[in-house]
């Protein structure tokens, strides 16, 4: 059997509707099994009315219920500044990844000490993840002005050789604009790009690379099979 990925993104103000966010959590729980990896691709703590009251901490109930494996940062996750988000990272169950969000101008220390990559094994298959966020985030996110966000294409390309050695498949967790997704799809060695940020659903291939985007507010969860007959 194939390794399977369940992908959600841009939960945003779905938290303001308990029934909607409950359906999202229930769908993920119903579809997962021992060969499943659950991933999120940003803007999963904000914006929203409830988020304004809790500075994004309302997402922790969802994270604890869903128990994702890996997550990356979206621009809205910084709506309340770096410190509230650092606390969410520390208190949430999933592993947070970013290859291009740094907390210093020299781009030497990644935000929240997040790793750039991770390799997860399920059912004898290994999938490597690398994550990247829109480089415009310091300009468009209220609380991200002191961060440094580097070129996502260059960061992904730099980490591909090591990931290809360690994993059977390479998946990019991308909170990026469509042009950046297409540029990454043209890099040899990327099997799939699981996207967020843009609120339109997407399912297509570019130069053989699968590109998926679930849209916003928990309307859709993508299910991807890697290996086996899928």
């Amino acid at each position: 059997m194939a390794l399977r990925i369940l992908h959600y993104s841009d939960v945003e103000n779905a938290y303001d509707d308990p029934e909607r966010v409950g359906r999202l959590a229930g769908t993920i729980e119903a579809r997962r099994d021992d060969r499943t990896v659950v991933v999120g691709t940003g803007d999963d703590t904000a914006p929203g009315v409830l988020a304004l009251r809790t500075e994004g901490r309302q997402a922790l109930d969802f994270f604890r219920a869903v128990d994702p494996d890996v997550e990356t940062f979206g621009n809205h996750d910084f709506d309340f500044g770096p410190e509230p988000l650092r606390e969410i990272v520390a208190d949430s169950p999933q592993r947070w990844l970013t290859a291009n969000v740094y907390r210093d101008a020299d781009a030497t220390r990644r935000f929240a000490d997040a790793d750039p990559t991770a390799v997860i094994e399920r059912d004898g298959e290994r999938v490597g993840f690398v994550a990247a966020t829109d480089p415009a985030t310091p300009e468009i996110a209220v609380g991200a002005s002191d961060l440094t966000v580097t070129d996502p294409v260059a960061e992904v390309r730099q980490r591909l050789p090591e990931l290809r050695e360690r994993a059977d498949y390479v998946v990019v967790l991308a909170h990026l604009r469509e042009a950046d997704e297409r540029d990454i799809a043209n890099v040899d060695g990327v099997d799939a790009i699981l996207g967020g940020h843009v609120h339109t659903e997407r399912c297509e291939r570019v130069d053989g690379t699968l590109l998926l985007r679930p849209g916003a507010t928990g309307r859709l969860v993508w299910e991807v099979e890697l290996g086996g007959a899928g």
Side-chain angles (χ1 to χ4, degrees):
M1 297 177 71
L3 179 151
R4 179 167 58 185
I5 300 174
L6 297 178
H7 168 220
Y8 65 88
S9 190
D10 296 81
V11 178
E12 298 196 352
N13 61 11
Y15 299 108
D16 298 334
D17 183 343
E19 184 176 345
R20 179 184 295 182
V21 76
R23 283 198 304 268
L24 174 61
T27 298
I28 293 170
E29 183 59 29
R31 296 300 303 166
R32 80 188 308 164
D33 57 20
D34 291 343
R35 63 191 177 98
T36 303
V37 181
V38 178
V39 307
T41 54
D43 283 3
D44 294 320
T45 68
V49 175
L50 190 56
L52 284 170
R53 297 189 61 181
T54 69
E55 294 190 326
R57 292 189 66 83
Q58 84 292 335
L60 288 172
D61 287 340
F62 171 75
F63 292 153
R64 289 163 183 159
V66 171
D67 194 17
D69 292 283
V70 288
E71 179 97 28
T72 195
F73 303 107
N75 53 292
H76 280 298
D77 294 318
F78 295 96
D79 279 357
F80 311 107
E83 193 53 39
L85 183 55
R86 284 192 192 96
E87 293 176 0
I88 291 171
V89 170
D91 292 341
S92 57
Q94 68 268 46
R95 184 176 179 182
W96 291 75
L97 303 179
T98 182
N100 73 325
V101 180
Y102 295 86
R103 55 180 172 162
D104 58 351
D106 295 332
T108 56
R109 297 179 298 169
R110 287 184 186 81
F111 177 76
D113 296 321
D115 292 322
T117 64
V119 175
I120 296 175
E121 183 173 346
R122 293 286 190 274
D123 198 36
E125 303 271 8
R126 294 169 301 163
V127 57
F129 294 98
V130 56
T133 298
D134 185 352
T137 294
E139 287 76 48
I140 63 178
V142 175
S145 59
D146 292 334
L147 300 176
T148 299
V149 184
T150 56
D151 178 4
V153 183
E155 295 278 12
V156 168
R157 184 181 286 112
Q158 178 181 341
R159 282 156 186 87
L160 270 176
E162 179 250 349
L163 275 181
R164 294 300 327 181
E165 288 184 0
R166 298 171 57 204
D168 303 298
Y169 310 97
V170 172
V171 173
V172 179
L173 305 179
H175 199 86
L176 299 171
R177 303 183 187 201
E178 189 163 327
D180 289 321
E181 289 181 342
R182 287 188 172 275
D183 287 344
I184 291 172
N186 289 323
V187 176
D188 289 339
V190 176
D191 295 296
I193 299 171
L194 305 184
H197 199 20
V198 180
H199 287 187
T200 54
E201 297 172 15
R202 185 180 195 185
C203 179
E204 64 178 299
R205 287 189 180 272
V206 174
D207 286 345
T209 300
L210 179 66
L211 281 82
L212 296 176
R213 191 190 305 127
T217 64
R219 293 192 306 263
L220 178 69
V221 176
W222 279 115
E223 181 176 325
V224 184
E225 290 202 348
L226 299 173

